[in-house]
Amino acid sequence: MSHKEDSVPEFVLGHLSTPEGRAASVVLACEGFYHDLLLEPADPEPGDDVTVSAFAGTHVTVAAVALHYTTDGSQPEPGADHTSSVSMQRSGQTWDTLTWSYGECWRAVIPGQPLGTVVHYVVEGVTPDGETIRSPHVPPPPAIIVAEDRDTLRLTAETEAHSRLPQVYAYAVDTEAVPEWLRNAVIYQIFVDRFAPDPGKEFAQPPDRSGFYGGTLRGVRSKLDYLADLGVTCLWLSPIFPAPSHHGYDATDYGAVEPRLGDLDDFEQLAQAARAHGIHIVLDYVANHISNEHPAFVAAQRDRSADTASWFRFFSWPDDYDTFLGVRSMPRLNTDDECVRAYLIDNACCWLERGADGFRLDHAHGATHAFWSAFRTATRAVKPSSVTFGEVTDTPAIMRSFVGRMDGELDFILLEALRQFFGFHALYPSEFDRFLRRHFAYFDGYSNSDLALPSFFDNHDMNRFLFSVGGDVRRLKLAALCQFTLPEPPIIYYGTEVGLSQLRPADPLEESRLPMLWGDAQDQDLLGFYKELIALRRKTYPVWRRARRTLATDDVRGIYAYACGRYAVVLNNSAQPASIRLKTTADAPLTPVLYTDGEAAFDAETSVAWLPPYSGIVVHGQ
Amino acid sequence: MSHKEDSVPEFVLGHLSTPEGRAASVVLACEGFYHDLLLEPADPEPGDDVTVSAFAGTHVTVAAVALHYTTDGSQPEPGADHTSSVSMQRSGQTWDTLTWSYGECWRAVIPGQPLGTVVHYVVEGVTPDGETIRSPHVPPPPAIIVAEDRDTLRLTAETEAHSRLPQVYAYAVDTEAVPEWLRNAVIYQIFVDRFAPDPGKEFAQPPDRSGFYGGTLRGVRSKLDYLADLGVTCLWLSPIFPAPSHHGYDATDYGAVEPRLGDLDDFEQLAQAARAHGIHIVLDYVANHISNEHPAFVAAQRDRSADTASWFRFFSWPDDYDTFLGVRSMPRLNTDDECVRAYLIDNACCWLERGADGFRLDHAHGATHAFWSAFRTATRAVKPSSVTFGEVTDTPAIMRSFVGRMDGELDFILLEALRQFFGFHALYPSEFDRFLRRHFAYFDGYSNSDLALPSFFDNHDMNRFLFSVGGDVRRLKLAALCQFTLPEPPIIYYGTEVGLSQLRPADPLEESRLPMLWGDAQDQDLLGFYKELIALRRKTYPVWRRARRTLATDDVRGIYAYACGRYAVVLNNSAQPASIRLKTTADAPLTPVLYTDGEAAFDAETSVAWLPPYSGIVVHGQ
């Protein structure tokens, strides 16, 4: 079926998913006064001077800008003894054609600091009237130029309101790099309620998709042999904390296990057993929001002077408060509040001590950069090999701003391109190739040591890829072959390897979260292919990080071929069979090492690959 | 009346006049492969290495980029002996949120050259298929992603098609600076047919506004005493060459004078007399297009092998050809054609020899940068004190790209702000102040020596300012006071100084081109004010180029005050009277030197200015 018929829009990217949202975002970026979050260098090491920049847009005049910072871990207080101040200098004017207006850039340098320093800073401008404004600051538009669509624009901005409150920024001066095990991982995403019930039990059959199917931590443990045999090296578990919902993204307690899923002991046993299988455990962790049934919120809503009142932002107490994308059952946390930080970070550290190896950070751009700097510093101290990777559904520029604050970010930008190319033929091979080159080059210099970009082509928030291509397993294999021969660590959404799909479009989202297939329900051919693919990945992972050579982009025939090191990959992304001759300078003939389709063939003598519709091969030269 | 009722849209800025046009322009800027025309340094001097950059956008992959150049004045031919080549290097990737895509930047350096060199260069990319594409290159969009609004977008782009053909670029290595007389000029714009008939004659009364009113060059000469008494130092004459229209922007011969206006002798006498009055003469010169009655076009349309066929771009000979904004009676010239260049430049040089002091360049961004480099080099050689200033109705970024190619550009960006602030109250004082600071800072480093930005608040292509403010002379005086206390040379559109306005909105445009008022019809009070203002400007012009201090921006009361050197200007841009106390650190009291309104007052003892509605003053400290 065409994705036009789906009731869930393809590519969920929040406020940037529509051209209107993008235009509004570009316009908003021209309006306020703000620090742009990009540091030079991006991830400061000991002794590095750090250049910080600020921007004053269309509607803001600042007569002077100052940067106030501390190096002792305390919050900056302009004028106080423990706070240093530097004047920022005007560094240029920008012109924006879309808003037909000028902007102004300012810069300052924070001197190099010793290892372990966490630099906290604020950026403050002084208006011509002598008013001090702290970044980020978005002034109301002058009444006189309110246009009809100004409301729409504001509405778009509203979901971002939290990130537009005055901020204390921070960065950690360290030499941390992405732990090698994450860089080389094959990650398996498990939606715990839907993966495996306790041994000997069957999945429940709830009346609707948002019910409980009965997956548990003991269930996951019982499948470790399956997972190890499959070859994955890391499990990403959906939230396991007490929560009213089946998905768990609305926790009521970060220190316990949801009783439906098991208990602390179950978790520790799972972690231990996984370790014995050579498998890491990564927990899904939500810093952005909690459940409205969380005691902290219940107390804050009951009593405005409650200790936890500062955890939240009440626009008008008790019923109007900041939320996750307007969902009232998910009040947003103020991650700059000291108590919130202590609560989230202390609990995270406990989970590392209980055996977790790291965290997948839900809606990570909802918490501040300073929060994530503190989070990583603390978790690394407890477990130096632990990892963090975030869900940042924003632009590559914003993604880059999180370098040094976490080890990786889920690659939503690549997700789009993979689905467009393999799922919808909305990109030609030449366009896909151009995208891949520029995308990885854009993050180059970071991704080599400071940032991992785990790849995926579907997850729990969109139609499964297999459903999007009408159940055509050939196309799934082809997309997977490409995914596993890219530089970054691949993620498999549970069940993808055995043909799990959907009955109807993913609306509500739960349709993409059907229970795992076990036993005869599994597509053994597909599973066998995935095992081969994972084995190849684990054997060759350094290869795909090398310089990538494009061998062919045939937009008419849908052929895309590339090589890294001594390996070449040929993809036929069309409904027609095709043959292609590979040029080789090697003396020995090329050897095929993986086919997606049993009918694909490779003639070593002539170096000609013959590829049925939607099939691919990997070949290897001596 | 409100400008909403006008039938001519406020601010004619071509394809960038609407938000849609601006968005399309931003999108188009992300699509092609092109040299962005900005050099580093912008205006190379002898020995300067010059960095040239190129951009490959959304739809273009280049595997390699080369820059081919000559230093002997010849056209570059890649591979030929006289042509040097340098490889350009990838210098980074950009992300564009609006188009949700990556772009790629390339750079190369052309080594420093001796004085007098004109460097010609082309930028060529090689696609993965081995095809060579020459900048600028806009590929057709891949058919598969043609959106419904793609046509609109193309349509917008079409008027720019000429500038998107492959180009030979050029820059001149020189030490030319803006002649001081232009920097210090007070310019008076004359629409010759509408300024003054032969002495002793009256204006004709044609049946409609596009008829001939009978102004002549002798008429202009007869008014030199008036103009010298007014105090202007430069006349910009609308095109004086033979042309079927009254406006002359469709010439049939660049070597003669339109007989209605006079003859060559009349021109030489005018130039000579003007010089005796200390007044320079600048001719309006149209390189972009000619009349379809010009012999070169008549011949090209009659015979496709005519010598002049290469002067034009026939999309489909003989009736489909490139034009000025779609006006079929104005075929566009190919300013890169050697014969066109020789024709335009040789004639321009002749006019300098006949006594002209320079040129106002009509629709200057319609001709290539290489053309203007050649034009300035040649005209300067003939008359070192001659000037060029262009009409570039595009973005400040594009305006900057013409630095070094001409001495100045009409400041259409400032025009908008002046009309918005003084004409329509569409800007607050604080916004206007912010605009002025950023605008002049954006061009700073150029405008000090390499670029003049003549200021104006109306011209022959829009409603006269006085008509736009309902004939309120107070507001005209206020706008003029501001204009004359800005850094750049002011232009007065003929008749503005004596209250010439319109009878109805400027549709057709000719309504803003009514015959000059003479004798009793002149507003003597306004004329007296303009004389004072011009006298002040001529006495103080270096003052307004100094650092500008904002003294007050009162958005509630509409007060705007600023100071340069020892002068301060206070403007009350509101319908209410206001008083404002100026702070002074001087020992001696401040002295008022100019009022726009006889009822305005300044108390030197208390430094309080009392300003009636829409009035302003200039005060001077010791």
Side-chain angles (χ1 to χ4, degrees):
Chain A
M1 69 178 292
S2 142
H3 73 289
K4 288 277 179 201
E5 296 161 26
D6 296 1
S7 53
V8 170
E10 181 59 12
F11 312 135
V12 178
L13 276 162
H15 67 292
L16 297 175
S17 60
T18 62
E20 294 76 15
R22 291 168 190 175
S25 150
V26 172
V27 171
L28 272 174
C30 297
E31 287 201 341
F33 168 68
Y34 57 88
H35 166 37
D36 68 6
L37 295 164
L38 294 169
L39 306 174
E40 290 174 26
D43 188 13
E45 302 206 347
D48 285 346
D49 288 347
V50 176
T51 301
V52 177
S53 52
F55 179 80
T58 314
H59 293 147
V60 185
T61 301
V62 280
V65 182
L67 191 157
H68 307 284
Y69 67 96
T70 65
T71 56
D72 60 1
S74 64
Q75 300 294 301
E77 293 167 42
D81 279 351
H82 69 294
T83 302
S84 306
S85 298
V86 285
S87 289
M88 299 187 79
Q89 304 299 321
R90 271 194 191 86
S91 59
Q93 290 74 34
T94 61
W95 170 259
D96 183 70
T97 296
L98 201 59
T99 56
W100 206 252
S101 68
Y102 288 107
E104 189 175 71
C105 303
W106 296 72
R107 285 199 165 189
V109 173
I110 299 177
Q113 302 294 330
L115 182 70
T117 309
V118 177
V119 177
H120 286 83
Y121 61 103
V122 295
V123 174
E124 288 188 346
V126 179
T127 70
D129 298 337
E131 188 197 352
T132 297
I133 54 178
R134 188 175 280 194
S135 163
H137 169 86
V138 181
I144 204 167
I145 58 165
V146 167
E148 274 177 39
D149 57 353
R150 178 67 67 171
D151 280 347
T152 318
L153 211 143
R154 287 288 138 196
L155 199 63
T156 309
E158 234 168 60
T159 60
E160 293 189 282
H162 72 286
S163 63
R164 298 185 166 271
L165 293 171
Q167 269 189 44
V168 175
Y169 304 100
Y171 60 87
V173 178
D174 59 39
T175 54
E176 296 290 352
V178 178
E180 197 59 17
W181 74 259
L182 174 59
R183 194 163 286 300
N184 303 330
V186 176
I187 303 168
Y188 191 84
Q189 178 189 356
I190 289 179
F191 205 91
V192 181
D193 181 64
R194 310 293 161 88
F195 186 66
D198 279 359
K201 290 203 176 168
E202 297 289 320
F203 279 118
Q205 296 197 323
D208 66 65
R209 300 282 187 235
S210 61
F212 302 117
Y213 279 78
T216 64
L217 294 180
R218 281 190 300 273
V220 176
R221 178 152 59 96
S222 73
K223 300 300 186 185
L224 284 172
D225 285 343
Y226 168 83
L227 293 164
D229 186 45
L230 177 58
V232 301
T233 66
C234 175
L235 304 184
W236 149 22
L237 303 183
S238 62
I240 62 169
F241 317 119
S245 72
H246 68 288
H247 53 68
Y249 288 97
D250 51 350
T252 57
D253 179 1
Y254 281 75
V257 170
E258 162 62 42
R260 283 181 292 103
L261 307 179
D263 56 24
L264 285 174
D265 195 45
D266 290 327
F267 175 74
E268 285 175 10
Q269 287 189 36
L270 168 61
Q272 204 172 352
R275 200 174 311 120
H277 281 84
I279 292 176
H280 293 89
I281 301 278
V282 165
L283 296 180
D284 210 321
Y285 208 72
V286 190
N288 182 72
H289 55 270
I290 56 178
S291 167
N292 63 343
E293 298 175 23
H294 192 292
F297 186 74
V298 172
Q301 214 176 19
R302 187 185 303 135
D303 175 4
R304 64 191 313 171
S305 63
D307 286 347
T308 56
S310 65
W311 289 33
F312 309 95
R313 292 207 179 84
F314 287 96
F315 302 128
S316 168
W317 183 86
D319 290 324
D320 186 11
Y321 47 85
D322 198 8
T323 61
F324 169 65
L325 301 180
V327 180
R328 292 181 52 77
S329 63
M330 297 183 179
R332 186 162 229 151
L333 289 166
N334 173 6
T335 51
D336 282 337
D337 180 85
E338 286 302 317
C339 297
V340 170
R341 278 203 190 174
Y343 176 74
L344 289 170
I345 293 175
D346 291 352
N347 272 304
C349 290
C350 284
W351 287 105
L352 295 177
E353 282 160 354
R354 289 175 190 132
D357 298 297
F359 302 95
R360 178 266 183 190
L361 313 168
D362 187 64
H363 199 68
H365 53 308
T368 63
H369 287 65
F371 173 81
W372 292 123
S373 286
F375 189 93
R376 186 162 88 158
T377 299
T379 52
R380 276 295 223 278
V382 169
K383 188 178 237 181
S385 68
S386 67
V387 300
T388 44
F389 58 87
E391 179 193 43
V392 178
T393 53
D394 210 300
T395 65
I398 296 291
M399 287 175 69
R400 275 214 304 215
S401 75
F402 284 98
V403 167
R405 277 71 185 249
M406 47 191 68
D407 296 308
E409 294 171 70
L410 293 164
D411 197 344
F412 277 88
I413 306 292
L414 174 66
L415 163 81
E416 275 189 90
L418 287 171
R419 290 175 73 99
Q420 285 178 349
F421 182 61
F422 292 107
F424 305 119
H425 287 184
L427 288 176
Y428 282 123
S430 64
E431 294 177 311
F432 183 58
D433 178 62
R434 183 165 58 228
F435 166 81
L436 291 177
R437 295 187 159 275
R438 292 182 183 172
H439 180 61
F440 290 115
Y442 187 83
F443 287 96
D444 198 32
Y446 306 118
S447 60
N448 282 331
S449 60
D450 291 333
L451 190 73
L453 294 165
S455 66
F456 58 108
F457 49 66
D458 56 12
N459 70 13
H460 57 295
D461 282 337
M462 64 191 72
N463 282 321
R464 281 180 176 270
F465 182 88
L466 186 56
F467 180 75
S468 291
V469 295
D472 190 337
V473 174
R474 300 174 301 175
R475 296 174 69 177
L476 173 66
K477 287 179 173 176
L478 198 63
L481 177 57
C482 178
Q483 179 196 12
F484 276 68
T485 52
L486 289 175
E488 299 288 335
I491 304 173
I492 302 166
Y493 184 40
Y494 80 95
T496 301
E497 78 280 16
V498 291
L500 181 55
S501 183
Q502 299 170 196
L503 300 178
R504 59 186 72 85
D507 183 24
L509 296 172
E510 280 70 29
E511 197 66 28
S512 64
R513 306 164 180 177
L514 293 186
M516 176 67 178
L517 304 175
W518 294 110
D520 291 346
Q522 295 190 331
D523 179 334
Q524 290 300 322
D525 170 69
L526 181 57
L527 181 59
F529 167 75
Y530 255 99
K531 286 181 185 173
E532 279 188 78
L533 188 61
I534 294 169
L536 177 69
R537 171 83 194 177
R538 290 181 61 177
K539 184 175 133 198
T540 61
Y541 63 80
V543 168
W544 311 107
R545 301 192 63 75
R546 292 200 204 153
R548 193 180 166 81
R549 306 183 309 278
T550 301
L551 303 180
T553 57
D554 184 329
D555 292 348
V556 176
R557 298 195 301 159
I559 300 287
Y560 180 38
Y562 50 89
C564 290
R566 289 169 181 258
Y567 285 85
V569 180
V570 188
L571 310 173
N572 175 10
N573 188 36
S574 85
Q576 304 300 323
S579 63
I580 175 173
R581 179 189 302 270
L582 294 181
K583 286 178 199 155
T584 172
T585 53
D587 292 336
L590 300 170
T591 324
V593 295
L594 187 70
Y595 294 101
T596 64
D597 187 314
E599 291 180 32
F602 185 77
D603 182 336
E605 206 154 308
T606 60
S607 291
V608 170
W610 188 86
L611 296 172
Y614 299 117
S615 72
I617 59 167
V618 181
V619 299
H620 181 233
Q622 295 305 318
Chain B
M1 68 179 295
S2 143
H3 73 290
K4 288 276 182 205
E5 295 161 28
D6 296 1
S7 51
V8 170
E10 184 55 14
F11 311 137
V12 178
L13 277 162
H15 67 291
L16 297 174
S17 61
T18 62
E20 294 75 15
R22 291 169 189 175
S25 150
V26 172
V27 171
L28 271 175
C30 297
E31 287 200 341
F33 168 67
Y34 56 89
H35 166 37
D36 67 8
L37 295 165
L38 295 169
L39 306 175
E40 291 173 26
D43 188 13
E45 300 204 349
D48 284 347
D49 287 350
V50 176
T51 301
V52 176
S53 52
F55 179 80
T58 314
H59 294 146
V60 185
T61 300
V62 279
V65 182
L67 190 156
H68 308 284
Y69 66 96
T70 65
T71 55
D72 60 0
S74 64
Q75 300 294 301
E77 292 167 42
D81 279 350
H82 69 294
T83 302
S84 306
S85 297
V86 286
S87 289
M88 298 187 79
Q89 304 299 322
R90 272 194 190 85
S91 59
Q93 289 73 33
T94 61
W95 170 261
D96 183 71
T97 296
L98 200 60
T99 54
W100 206 251
S101 68
Y102 289 106
E104 191 175 70
C105 305
W106 296 72
R107 285 199 168 189
V109 173
I110 298 178
Q113 302 294 330
L115 181 70
T117 310
V118 177
V119 177
H120 286 83
Y121 61 103
V122 295
V123 174
E124 287 188 346
V126 179
T127 70
D129 298 337
E131 187 197 351
T132 296
I133 54 177
R134 187 175 280 194
S135 162
H137 170 86
V138 181
I144 203 166
I145 57 166
V146 167
E148 276 175 37
D149 57 355
R150 178 66 67 171
D151 281 347
T152 318
L153 211 142
R154 288 286 141 197
L155 199 63
T156 308
E158 232 169 61
T159 60
E160 295 190 281
H162 71 286
S163 63
R164 298 184 165 272
L165 292 171
Q167 269 190 41
V168 176
Y169 303 101
Y171 60 85
V173 178
D174 58 40
T175 54
E176 296 290 351
V178 177
E180 197 59 18
W181 74 258
L182 174 60
R183 194 163 286 300
N184 302 332
V186 177
I187 302 168
Y188 191 85
Q189 178 189 356
I190 289 179
F191 206 91
V192 181
D193 181 62
R194 308 296 160 89
F195 187 65
D198 278 0
K201 289 201 177 172
E202 297 291 318
F203 279 119
Q205 295 197 324
D208 68 62
R209 300 285 188 233
S210 62
F212 302 118
Y213 279 77
T216 63
L217 295 180
R218 279 190 302 272
V220 176
R221 178 153 57 96
S222 73
K223 300 300 184 183
L224 284 172
D225 284 343
Y226 168 83
L227 294 164
D229 184 47
L230 178 59
V232 302
T233 66
C234 175
L235 305 184
W236 150 21
L237 303 183
S238 62
I240 63 169
F241 317 119
S245 73
H246 67 289
H247 53 67
Y249 288 97
D250 50 350
T252 56
D253 179 1
Y254 281 74
V257 170
E258 162 61 41
R260 282 181 294 101
L261 306 180
D263 57 24
L264 285 175
D265 193 46
D266 290 328
F267 175 73
E268 286 176 12
Q269 287 188 36
L270 169 60
Q272 202 172 352
R275 200 174 312 120
H277 281 84
I279 294 176
H280 293 88
I281 301 279
V282 165
L283 296 181
D284 209 323
Y285 208 73
V286 190
N288 183 71
H289 55 270
I290 55 177
S291 166
N292 63 342
E293 298 176 22
H294 191 292
F297 186 73
V298 172
Q301 213 176 19
R302 186 185 300 138
D303 175 5
R304 66 193 309 172
S305 64
D307 285 346
T308 57
S310 65
W311 290 32
F312 309 96
R313 292 206 179 82
F314 286 96
F315 303 127
S316 169
W317 184 87
D319 289 326
D320 187 10
Y321 48 85
D322 197 8
T323 61
F324 168 66
L325 301 180
V327 180
R328 293 179 52 75
S329 63
M330 297 183 179
R332 185 162 229 151
L333 288 166
N334 173 5
T335 51
D336 282 337
D337 180 85
E338 286 302 317
C339 296
V340 170
R341 278 202 190 173
Y343 176 75
L344 290 170
I345 293 175
D346 291 353
N347 272 303
C349 291
C350 282
W351 287 105
L352 295 178
E353 284 161 353
R354 286 175 192 134
D357 298 297
F359 303 96
R360 179 265 183 188
L361 313 168
D362 187 64
H363 199 69
H365 53 308
T368 64
H369 288 64
F371 173 79
W372 292 123
S373 286
F375 189 92
R376 186 162 87 155
T377 300
T379 52
R380 276 296 223 278
V382 168
K383 189 177 234 179
S385 67
S386 66
V387 301
T388 45
F389 58 87
E391 179 194 43
V392 177
T393 53
D394 209 300
T395 65
I398 296 291
M399 287 175 69
R400 276 214 301 216
S401 75
F402 284 98
V403 167
R405 277 72 185 246
M406 46 190 70
D407 296 307
E409 293 171 70
L410 293 165
D411 196 343
F412 276 89
I413 306 294
L414 173 66
L415 164 81
E416 277 191 88
L418 287 172
R419 290 176 72 99
Q420 286 178 349
F421 182 60
F422 291 107
F424 305 117
H425 288 184
L427 289 175
Y428 282 123
S430 64
E431 295 177 310
F432 183 58
D433 179 61
R434 183 164 59 229
F435 166 80
L436 290 177
R437 295 186 158 276
R438 292 181 183 173
H439 180 60
F440 291 115
Y442 188 83
F443 287 96
D444 199 30
Y446 304 119
S447 60
N448 281 331
S449 60
D450 291 334
L451 191 73
L453 293 165
S455 66
F456 58 108
F457 49 65
D458 56 11
N459 70 14
H460 58 295
D461 282 338
M462 63 191 72
N463 282 321
R464 281 181 175 268
F465 183 87
L466 186 57
F467 180 74
S468 291
V469 295
D472 191 335
V473 174
R474 299 173 303 175
R475 296 173 71 177
L476 173 65
K477 286 179 175 176
L478 197 64
L481 177 58
C482 179
Q483 180 196 12
F484 276 68
T485 53
L486 289 175
E488 298 288 336
I491 303 174
I492 302 166
Y493 184 39
Y494 79 95
T496 300
E497 78 279 15
V498 290
L500 182 55
S501 183
Q502 300 170 197
L503 300 178
R504 59 187 72 86
D507 183 22
L509 296 172
E510 281 71 28
E511 198 65 27
S512 64
R513 305 165 180 175
L514 293 186
M516 175 67 178
L517 303 176
W518 294 110
D520 291 346
Q522 296 189 331
D523 179 334
Q524 289 300 322
D525 170 69
L526 181 57
L527 180 59
F529 168 74
Y530 255 98
K531 285 182 187 174
E532 279 188 77
L533 188 61
I534 294 169
L536 178 70
R537 171 84 194 175
R538 290 181 61 177
K539 182 176 135 197
T540 61
Y541 64 81
V543 168
W544 312 108
R545 301 192 64 76
R546 294 199 204 155
R548 194 180 164 85
R549 308 184 307 279
T550 301
L551 303 180
T553 57
D554 185 330
D555 291 349
V556 176
R557 297 196 300 159
I559 300 287
Y560 180 36
Y562 50 90
C564 290
R566 290 169 180 257
Y567 285 86
V569 179
V570 189
L571 309 174
N572 175 11
N573 189 36
S574 86
Q576 304 300 322
S579 63
I580 176 172
R581 180 189 304 270
L582 295 181
K583 285 178 199 154
T584 172
T585 54
D587 292 336
L590 300 171
T591 323
V593 294
L594 187 70
Y595 294 101
T596 65
D597 188 312
E599 291 179 33
F602 185 77
D603 182 336
E605 207 154 307
T606 58
S607 291
V608 171
W610 188 86
L611 296 172
Y614 300 117
S615 71
I617 58 166
V618 181
V619 298
H620 180 234
Q622 294 307 318

